[in-house]
Amino acid sequence: MPIRHPIIAGNWKMNKTIREAQDYAARLLGLLGEITEIDVVVCAPFTALSTLKDELEESVIHIGAQDMSFASNGAYTGEISADMLVDTACTYVIIGHSERREILRETDDDIAKKVKAALKAGLTPILCVGENLAQREERKAFAVVRSQVEKDLTELAPADLKRVVIAYEPIWAIGTGKSATSADAQEMCTMIRSTLAGIAGAVADEVNILYGGSVNADTIAELMAQPDVDGALVGGASLDPEGFAQLVLKAVTAL
Ligand code: PGA
């Protein structure tokens, strides 16, 4: 009996109007409405979430957001709280995506607070970690990722830690068409699992670790075959519902 249930999450990033989201959800539901071997998650912009709630709440497809505030409420103009996400039937939230770390200067301290707030509200955080090209070339990738994992998950009890999903996303692979090899993905995911074991012991074996960065329908099967890769976070290849469904179905056949 496997202890980890695989996850494929689509990250739309800053794409799709409400109308486009509604059309996407209806089409995806038609294609993946019976899939239970993998948890399928659609991470949409805040403005599309209540439409996805109407379309998907009663289905097997999960709804996710792409960020949230570390605060629960109050004077934080422009922010969205974990409880607001729960209100739109979100069960997942991406935290610490490299685009937010790099463009919006999110720190590990901010990210650690967001992870805690997500867990407190009952959401599953998808914590993104990953090195940039210079760090990989300088052979610092392991140290960078280990440090992110340790800082972002600091002070979590094992019972909380096992509810976190980690996405290893090397920055040089995101949106570039240049995916990490499945062997590189496996190597880093193994390192992440052993870091988790150092923090929280045996529950590390229950944590889902995804790979992200130019994943597509041609690469997913080999990634899923790696023992420490439990699924994928998919950007560009999740934008078209037919293409995303094809990717998920290929992942199912690779299980
Ligand atoms: P990509 O994006 O699949 O387009 O490389 C992945 C991500 O940023 O989550």
Side-chain angles (χ1 to χ4, degrees):
M1 182 78 184
I3 31 178
R4 301 189 296 271
H5 192 72
I7 298 169
I8 306 254
N11 174 12
W12 290 357
K13 308 193 179 185
M14 197 170 69
N15 291 292
K16 297 196 190 294
T17 61
I18 290 172
R19 215 194 160 92
E20 288 166 346
Q22 188 175 28
D23 174 60
Y24 181 107
R27 282 156 66 191
L28 195 69
L29 200 53
L31 297 160
L32 297 181
E34 309 287 321
I35 295 290
T36 52
E37 297 91 332
I38 289 181
D39 279 352
V40 178
V41 188
V42 176
C43 298
F46 295 132
T47 48
L49 293 177
S50 69
T51 300
L52 293 190
K53 174 179 173 162
D54 294 343
E55 300 292 325
L56 300 176
E57 187 175 15
E58 306 297 329
S59 80
V60 296
I61 300 174
H62 302 266
I63 305 167
Q66 300 172 10
D67 181 41
M68 53 168 265
S69 175
F70 54 72
S72 56
N73 67 291
Y76 296 92
T77 302
E79 291 289 271
I80 300 280
S81 73
D83 285 347
M84 292 171 185
L85 298 183
V86 171
D87 215 16
T88 60
C90 272
T91 48
Y92 286 82
V93 57
I94 296 172
I95 291 180
H97 191 281
S98 61
E99 287 150 15
R100 300 198 60 83
R101 291 179 190 259
E102 294 214 312
I103 305 167
L104 295 149
R105 299 272 160 238
E106 265 186 26
T107 66
D108 285 309
D109 189 39
D110 300 328
I111 292 163
K113 287 197 271 183
K114 290 183 181 193
V115 169
K116 284 202 188 83
L119 290 167
K120 192 168 165 221
L123 293 165
T124 299
I126 302 177
L127 169 68
C128 298
V129 295
E131 81 286 358
N132 64 29
L133 187 59
Q135 290 162 336
R136 173 147 290 251
E137 285 173 353
E138 289 163 21
R139 300 184 178 278
K140 291 182 182 154
F142 277 45
V144 167
V145 171
R146 187 181 301 117
S147 154
Q148 288 173 333
V149 169
E150 286 172 351
K151 287 180 184 158
D152 300 347
L153 300 178
T154 180
E155 293 166 16
L156 285 189
D160 282 333
L161 192 105
K162 76 176 183 200
R163 294 170 44 215
V164 174
V165 173
I166 298 185
Y168 166 55
E169 297 208 304
I171 295 169
W172 46 269
I174 295 177
T176 57
K178 195 178 148 205
S179 173
T181 65
S182 50
D184 283 341
Q186 164 62 17
E187 194 182 27
M188 188 63 89
C189 292
T190 305
M191 191 286 291
I192 292 171
R193 202 175 300 289
S194 67
T195 303
L196 295 174
I199 300 172
V203 299
D205 286 333
E206 296 176 53
V207 175
N208 269 291
I209 305 179
L210 317 181
Y211 167 78
S214 296
V215 176
N216 60 42
D218 295 330
T219 55
I220 188 69
E222 207 184 312
L223 284 164
M224 297 301 289
Q226 306 303 313
D228 279 302
V229 180
D230 306 311
L233 182 56
V234 184
S238 75
L239 287 174
D240 161 61
E242 282 73 29
F244 186 50
Q246 196 199 1
L247 186 156
V248 170
L249 293 172
K250 287 209 171 162
V252 170
T253 55
L255 291 177

